Amino acid sequence: MKQFLSVLWLLLAVGNQALAQSPTRAVSGRVTGQTGDGLPGVNIVVKGTQKGTTTNTNGQYSLAEVPAGATLTFSSIGFVAQDIAVGNRTTLDVSLSADDRSLSEVIVVGYGTQRKIETTGSIASIKSDELLQLPVANVTQGIQSRVAGVQITQNSSAPGGGASVRIRGTNSINGTSEPLYVLDGVQIAVGLDQNANNQNPLSNINPNDIESVEVLKDASSTAIYGARGANGVILITTKRGKAGTSRVSYDAYYGTQQVNKTLDVLNSTQFAALENEIFKTSVFPDPNNPGPNTDWQNLIFRRAPIQNHQLTVTGGTEKTQVAFSLNYFDQSGIIINSRFRRYSLRTNVDHRVNNWLKVGTSLLLSNSVNNRTQTANTSIDGPAVTASILGAALAAPPTLVPYREDGSVWPFGDQFSARYREAANPVGLAQILDRITNNTLLANFYADLNLAKGLTYRASFNVTQFNNLGDFYSPKSIVNLADQALAGSAQKNNQYGRSLLHESILTYATSFNAIHSLKFTGVFASLKNEGSNNNISGTQFPNDATANEAIALSTNRNVSSGRSESRLDSYLGRVNYGFRDKYFVDVTARYDGASQFGAENKYGFFPAVAAAWRVIEEPFLKGATWLSDLKLRGSYGQTGNAGAIGPYQSLALVGSGGNNAYAFNHVYTTGIAPTGIPNSELQWERSTQANLGLDLGLFNNRLNVVVDVYNKRTDNLLFVRQLPPSSGYTTITGNFATIQNRGIEMAVSGRVLDGPVKLNVSANATINRNKLLALNDLLQNFAVNNYGVLQVGQPIGVFRTYVFDGNYQTGESILPGSGSRLGGPKVRDLNGDGQISVADQTITGDPNPRLIYGFSANLSYKNFDFSTFFAGVRGNQIYNLIRYTLENPSGGRNLLAGVANRWTPTNPNNEFASVLQGGRLPISDRFLEDGSFLRCKNITLGYRLPAIKGLQAVRVYVSTNNPFTFTNYSGFDPEVNSFGNSNTQIGVDNLVYPIARSYIAGLQVSF
């Protein structure tokens, strides 16, 4: 052994001596980038040693005493490092390629794709792992607060509940401000819906199938969609198969949900004392012992399960690729008897027939069943508000009980001598059948033809079809016995809609002299929309046995139906030019013709131009090694809003019903009368937008910043104008109003840690300022409800109310017109005329946030991963109609707990008013509250199991959603709007379905 070690030592010594005596030489050369320009500051090191140098400002270098056979390592931030053997060379020139995935990253744009570096417009991209970080029923919930410039408000947190999406502000008054969604080429429009209880149409699309989402925000990126692009465009791309080994994956989670917050109300003792005080009699002879103390909120809220199961199969050959998925999503609501279930199937197939023809299809079949409970109310009338399940739970007398001894619902009119017969038992309201069954088909069929080098043609055929069946029945059993003879109401509603879209897309792409790139895109598109509805309703049933399945049994019946049809034909073109991957120019134009517009304005032209300068490619920045990307963008263009007007609105309309009924020979006859005045000049709502943007990458793209500044003006907004009575009509709809949106957006992302411990963070913030510039030439303001107004010079949706000034105290004079009393609410006489009138109302609040923001963090170490996501808004007000109704001590209903501190001669406070039987409170800013909040949307901890034979990967995780919210808002939740996606009535809380906190456990397996 000693002899062996001695020989080994001798050989090593000889080898080292030989190496030390090996010849050396000087090596020099030039290091360039892909454009041929010299790269300064490149590190050149003899591999395995500390010997090295750097290039000068021209990219030249010289390195002495390089051993023969050595290898040189060339490296620089932002470029791919290279190891090159010197051999016998003394001159060694090297070209480094950029190490920037964004150079080759491709994103989806309208009617095509682009490399990310080529984009000139404002486009944000979100990948599937971000979308699915928290369990969501639809895609809008997944992108909330993840994209700068996009405000998403969950109007109702009911299962399948609706959301409003605003890209760079509100753009319409009477039309929709929702963006256009494009799912694998299939266009989906979301209309104006002012009912927060209605289901989000995107809930029929399974988020688990989505590969990426692109949000197009400026005129350059949306102008290609012309008349449908004024509100922005959201492109959704689903997962497709890839050639190679087939992959099967199963994703599942199961969890439980609970209400985040309940509201404090008077207990039975406090309620009894209040009733005695209001009615000035002993309603409760012993208010200290009034009977039960029922917690009605505890009866309607519950712990509710949520689960999701997804099976996906992808794979294929070089000729055929397939992706197939099945999904089941089931979310029970935190309010009893509310539930949303969805079954979906998706198939994507791509097949290359030969070298010049490729065909494929994307197919989605979805069935959903939504059992709803009516919550959000749009009325300020007390009885109407408390007829919803949340209002009933808060206002129900705690001295009553929910059930009879036999377990049946006990109506309040049958308790306590029928004193509270006008109040509804909330558990009875939960027994109302309110179900929507939806069947949706989304299909795209395409054929790609390679006509010549660089020249392709795509024929695309898209079908969107849905059927909605609405079932409603309010049973007799939940009504007081004395009223049951007239009770029982039922309805069946069947809605059908179909959109047929054909697109012919011709594309020519070429490059020349290795520095110029040119791409032409031309499209002809024809869209046909069809819709119909049939409705039958009835009241006064003999019993509940058949519910709404035998409406013929009802005493009073009503039947209605309707049908509509519209068409949109479009011609569009786009030219993309690039020079040296440094300068880019895009020019887009679209010409649309829509059937619903006036005869003189059926066609609209929507152009846009954009340019980008990748400053990073300029020679004067080659020495800035810390700078990995710098691009300036600018765009200007116009888009239209075809969704602002329904079919036939420009025509003279006639209709039946209403006052058009007459008796001829004692026979009741329904007539037809004019209902709408024609307007042949009715035209497009048109948005003109300018955008300036900056894309910045630092430290080898470890830190990325995107900033956009925009100014958008929307003209020709549809609005009404009063007509003289002699015309036979009251109003006419025309293009009268103008809105402006201006703002700044910033998105920041960074790789904070990139070693064994990896930490990625991202944040975005949006500031948008909205202003109404004009209504019509006769109006400066227009009241939209009792507390909201459209006023020129103000943001859309501002609140106009009286200014609350405490309560009238002993010795104060009660102003005429106030309708108040001693201890009653006092409002300011702003015009100083000594009385209270509508002239004393003023702008008191703005529901539009001053700031919208979100931030997230993703941490991983070995097999563990952790992520969290926050979202928030600041500077917006909410009009809390819950307090308006439930702080009014008028009798007959329970109230919020604060009313226990109401005004009395011995408690002369200035907050809660004195009692008054049947009294009302003035609409004042007392009920305006700060709607700012910061919410933790999600916290997730995951673990990837070590390799298991037969499985590619296994990950388990636990997650909590909406665990906590920082806010000063006193209602259930600050993210609300009782009026759905209304443009003019926003930031109103009238008992919207509250948000849930959930705890989830999940499993992800791939084979």
Side-chain angles (χ1 to χ4, degrees), residues 116-332:
K116 190 173 182 179
I117 65 167
E118 296 175 322
T119 58
T120 56
S122 181
I123 303 175
S125 183
I126 311 161
K127 301 305 180 185
S128 60
D129 55 347
E130 295 178 273
L131 286 174
L132 301 177
Q133 189 173 346
L134 62 161
V136 294
N138 63 71
V139 63
T140 58
Q141 295 172 345
I143 66 177
Q144 184 180 27
S145 297
R146 295 190 182 276
V147 179
V150 180
Q151 180 187 5
I152 299 178
T153 302
Q154 191 67 37
N155 300 320
S156 170
S157 294
S164 62
V165 181
R166 298 290 181 268
I167 297 179
R168 295 185 169 179
T170 297
N171 301 304
S172 188
I173 294 177
N174 291 324
T176 180
S177 288
E178 299 292 307
L180 173 69
Y181 297 87
V182 183
L183 175 69
D184 290 337
V186 179
Q187 298 183 11
I188 305 169
V190 178
L192 182 66
D193 187 351
Q194 301 191 52
N195 186 347
N197 289 302
N198 286 344
Q199 179 179 319
N200 190 327
L202 297 175
S203 294
N204 297 308
I205 299 172
N206 174 22
N208 297 76
D209 287 331
I210 295 174
E211 179 72 27
S212 67
V213 173
E214 273 74 31
V215 181
L216 315 184
K217 298 182 285 187
D218 71 322
S220 169
S221 57
T222 61
I224 197 75
Y225 291 99
R228 312 190 85 189
N231 302 322
V233 180
I234 296 180
L235 306 178
I236 303 172
T237 303
T238 60
K239 299 171 183 176
R240 309 193 78 84
K242 297 178 176 62
T245 304
S246 297
R247 179 177 179 179
V248 179
S249 62
Y250 172 70
D251 295 352
Y253 61 77
Y254 183 89
T256 183
Q257 310 159 90
Q258 65 186 52
V259 67
N260 248 346
K261 178 183 179 181
T262 57
L263 303 186
D264 293 332
V265 294
L266 300 176
N267 61 34
S268 59
T269 301
Q270 294 168 323
F271 174 75
L274 175 68
E275 290 289 278
N276 287 352
E277 185 178 340
I278 292 172
F279 294 101
K280 298 180 175 60
T281 185
S282 296
V283 178
F284 293 90
D286 183 5
N288 293 319
N289 187 23
N293 188 28
T294 304
D295 185 345
W296 294 100
Q297 292 181 81
N298 187 55
L299 288 171
I300 68 162
F301 289 125
R302 64 178 176 180
R303 287 185 176 271
I306 180 174
Q307 60 179 311
N308 182 78
H309 302 271
Q310 169 97 3
L311 179 66
T312 305
V313 181
T314 59
T317 65
E318 292 298 325
K319 291 180 68 69
T320 305
Q321 300 86 43
V322 177
F324 172 82
S325 71
L326 290 171
N327 177 263
Y328 171 65
F329 177 78
D330 187 354
Q331 181 182 10
S332 295

Side-chain angles (χ1 to χ4, degrees), residues 336-565:
I336 55 176
N337 290 344
S338 59
R339 185 182 183 187
F340 176 79
R341 287 169 292 166
R342 181 188 61 228
Y343 308 84
S344 66
L345 178 152
R346 168 165 286 279
T347 301
N348 290 341
V349 180
D350 303 285
H351 176 67
R352 178 160 294 284
V353 180
N354 49 44
N355 60 358
W356 58 268
L357 177 61
K358 181 181 179 181
V359 296
T361 183
S362 297
L363 180 68
L364 167 68
L365 294 172
S366 174
N367 168 264
S368 66
V369 181
N370 189 6
N371 292 315
R372 307 186 302 179
T373 53
Q374 294 297 313
T375 51
N377 203 294
T378 57
S379 172
I380 64 171
D381 181 66
V385 172
T386 55
S388 70
I389 190 168
L390 279 177
L394 294 173
T399 55
L400 304 182
V401 295
Y403 303 107
R404 296 185 177 94
E405 291 183 359
D406 63 2
S408 61
V409 171
W410 197 352
F412 290 166
D414 297 334
Q415 302 183 50
F416 205 72
S417 302
R419 184 175 187 89
Y420 299 106
R421 63 178 298 167
E422 294 184 1
N425 186 331
V427 296
L429 294 179
Q431 295 190 1
I432 295 175
L433 170 66
D434 188 2
R435 183 179 61 226
I436 303 295
T437 303
N438 173 275
N439 292 299
T440 296
L441 165 67
L442 299 176
N444 166 261
F445 305 92
Y446 75 88
D448 286 342
L449 287 81
N450 295 322
L451 303 179
K453 183 179 179 180
L455 181 63
T456 62
Y457 168 76
R458 166 170 285 204
S460 176
F461 305 90
N462 304 311
V463 179
T464 303
Q465 184 170 302
F466 73 87
N467 284 91
N468 280 343
L469 175 62
D471 287 291
F472 178 88
Y473 185 72
S474 180
K476 298 167 68 72
S477 60
I478 67 173
V479 178
N480 315 319
L481 289 174
D483 299 326
Q484 282 194 3
L486 302 177
S489 61
Q491 182 177 4
K492 272 193 177 291
N493 178 266
N494 197 331
Q495 293 182 327
Y496 167 81
R498 184 175 66 177
S499 295
L500 303 175
L501 172 64
H502 165 67
E503 295 171 322
S504 287
I505 307 168
L506 192 65
T507 304
Y508 178 68
T510 187
S511 61
F512 46 95
N513 296 336
I515 58 175
H516 301 279
S517 62
L518 195 60
K519 186 176 183 179
F520 297 91
T521 304
V523 181
F524 167 73
S526 183
L527 171 67
K528 182 180 180 181
N529 294 314
E530 303 171 327
S532 64
N533 66 84
N534 301 283
N535 183 80
I536 181 170
S537 60
T539 60
Q540 197 172 336
F541 282 78
N543 53 56
D544 294 331
T546 57
N548 71 331
E549 299 300 334
I551 297 181
L553 296 176
S554 63
T555 302
N556 305 302
R557 291 182 297 277
N558 184 60
V559 179
S560 63
S561 62
R563 184 172 63 88
S564 65
E565 185 176 302

